[in-house]
Amino acid sequence: MQELGSLGLKLAGTEEQQERWLPRLASGEWLAAYALTESGSGSDSAAMRTTARRDGDEYVLDGTKRFITNAGVANLYTVFAKTDPSAGHSGISAFVVESDAPGFEVARIEPKLGIKGSTTGELVFDGCRIPASNLLGAEGEGFRIAMRILDRSRPGVAAQALGIAQGATDYALEYAKTRETMGKPIAEHQLIQAKLADMETECEAARGLLYRFGKMADDGVDGPELTKISAMAKLKCGDVAMAVTTEAVQILGGYGYIKEYPVERYMRDAKITQIYEGTQEIQRLVIAREMVREQRGQE
Ligand SMILES: Cc1cc2nc3c(=O)[nH]c(=O)nc-3n(C[C@H](O)[C@H](O)[C@H](O)COP(=O)(O)OP(=O)(O)OC[C@H]3O[C@@H](n4cnc5c(N)ncnc54)[C@H](O)[C@@H]3O)c2cc1C
């Protein structure tokens, strides 16, 4: 989660901005957050209502952000706001807001289904003043920066999902080897074997897609091709995590449903990977859009 809040600086920050903030983020002395979502704009992030108005050497931010990971523990927030509210997504700009900026407040922390070790909260900007030098990139480049960040951070969600899925598979296998019914370990019942085989196969398929993203990123692939494979990796790994953890609970039977065993937590933690950094529906829209674009390019 450190990556989501700091990628904006890596991708769009000036040398001065990078020197100022990145070392403290890299060492872990500071934590970072990424603030795009609002109560009325999640999937449709360009519909955001938070504004940033230039006032001399400062920008003044007004609005609220919802569901922000690391709220209250982050020292630095990458915040997206409209500098030109009439210009749609090309009126959005990106800013660095430090947690002690005047007019900035964390209004509440949300209770959640899973990932309870991570805070999720609401940010309020009430005449929040930040130095004009905290603008990332140029005015109007914020939406592009937000999307470039997600192209590179979504595979992090995919890796999170895959880790949960493989962990659930490994746990269910160990359990199935020792739990006996009808005179033999449940791992020797064919219906349980089929579940385990499908879980392992799905994990391996998801891993293949995620590693393909990694190879392409290492090879310097950028732009639409990277966007597509990033969305595919996130989509596949998230769906595999949800399906596999649900089957792990099933393999443990009643013991899967109670908190004494870890698989109910895996199932709760898996769900978020289908929702944040773009829902699975949005990943499908992104993939289909890139497919159409590719085909047009070939015509
Ligand atoms: C725990 C947690 C942590 C989060 N962390 C962050 C964070 O750090 N930073 C941040 O900015 N945001 C964060 N989010 C917000 C998250 O990215 C959004 O919740 C998510 O993008 C969905 O937006 P929404 O909740 O407004 O749902 P909506 O956009 O209202 O969507 C509701 C449903 O409609 C579907 N839908 C919407 N539009 C379409 C469409 N065009 N076609 C088909 N289906 C559609 C969605 O897929 C979904 O199923 C976090 C959320 C949670 C729960």
Side-chain angles (χ1 to χ4, degrees):
M1 294 317 292
Q2 187 74 330
E3 193 182 27
L4 185 60
S6 59
L7 263 173
L9 275 167
K10 284 166 79 179
L11 294 171
T14 60
E15 212 168 307
E16 190 272 328
Q17 289 172 328
Q18 292 182 349
E19 275 170 18
R20 188 159 154 218
W21 286 302
L22 283 183
R24 276 180 284 182
L25 295 176
S27 70
E29 184 191 341
W30 273 27
L31 292 177
Y34 171 93
L36 181 69
T37 303
E38 299 182 4
S39 57
S41 58
S43 303
D44 187 10
S45 52
M48 70 176 61
R49 299 179 70 168
T50 298
T51 57
R53 174 176 55 83
R54 179 90 190 227
D55 183 22
D57 287 344
E58 294 179 321
Y59 279 96
V60 183
L61 274 66
D62 282 287
T64 59
K65 294 283 173 185
R66 191 95 198 257
F67 297 151
I68 305 308
T69 298
N70 285 352
V73 294
N75 309 79
L76 177 157
Y77 295 79
T78 301
V79 178
F80 299 89
K82 286 206 167 156
T83 40
D84 182 355
S86 63
H89 56 66
S90 52
I92 296 170
S93 303
F95 300 92
V96 171
V97 177
E98 294 189 16
S99 55
D100 59 359
F104 171 79
E105 195 195 347
V106 176
R108 67 166 174 196
I109 300 294
E110 311 281 359
K112 308 192 287 285
L113 175 71
I115 58 162
K116 294 185 179 177
S118 160
T119 63
T120 308
E122 184 174 85
L123 315 179
V124 175
F125 303 88
D126 184 8
C128 171
R129 289 188 169 268
I130 56 167
S133 57
N134 286 21
L135 174 71
L136 278 179
E139 273 193 20
E141 283 182 2
F143 191 73
R144 204 178 133 259
I145 294 169
M147 296 304 118
R148 286 193 75 212
I149 292 171
L150 290 176
D151 278 351
R152 286 158 183 76
S153 67
R154 278 175 180 151
V157 177
Q160 171 192 359
L162 179 58
I164 295 169
Q166 189 67 64
T169 303
D170 295 349
Y171 194 90
L173 174 64
E174 277 311 305
Y175 183 88
K177 285 182 348 199
T178 54
R179 175 74 176 173
E180 290 192 8
T181 68
M182 290 144 205
K184 58 183 178 181
I186 59 170
E188 290 177 23
H189 295 306
Q190 285 190 346
L191 286 176
I192 298 293
Q193 289 175 341
K195 284 188 200 301
L196 289 168
D198 286 349
M199 289 159 74
E200 183 81 341
T201 305
E202 284 295 287
C203 285
E204 201 56 43
R207 185 176 293 108
L209 206 44
L210 177 60
Y211 284 15
R212 182 156 159 72
F213 166 88
K215 172 87 170 65
M216 286 169 67
D218 279 354
D219 290 346
V221 175
D222 204 349
E225 233 186 311
L226 197 73
T227 301
K228 183 179 164 197
I229 193 83
S230 161
M232 289 166 88
K234 197 262 181 188
L235 174 65
K236 181 68 185 169
C237 291
D239 283 355
V240 165
M242 199 65 241
V244 160
T245 53
T246 307
E247 283 295 60
V249 170
Q250 194 66 21
I251 289 175
L252 268 73
Y255 297 94
Y257 200 71
I258 59 170
K259 286 188 183 288
E260 192 182 339
Y261 290 82
V263 288
E264 59 83 29
R265 178 165 78 86
Y266 296 157
M267 193 175 97
R268 288 185 291 104
D269 285 351
K271 186 61 201 171
I272 193 60
T273 68
Q274 295 184 305
I275 295 172
Y276 64 12
E277 299 197 28
T279 63
Q280 302 303 70
E281 289 77 16
I282 295 302
Q283 305 312 315
R284 289 183 168 95
L285 294 186
V286 169
I287 295 161
R289 184 191 66 205
E290 296 310 331
M291 288 166 71
V292 171
R293 201 201 306 257
E294 277 167 16
Q295 202 175 45
R296 280 215 192 100
Q298 285 161 11
E299 282 167 7

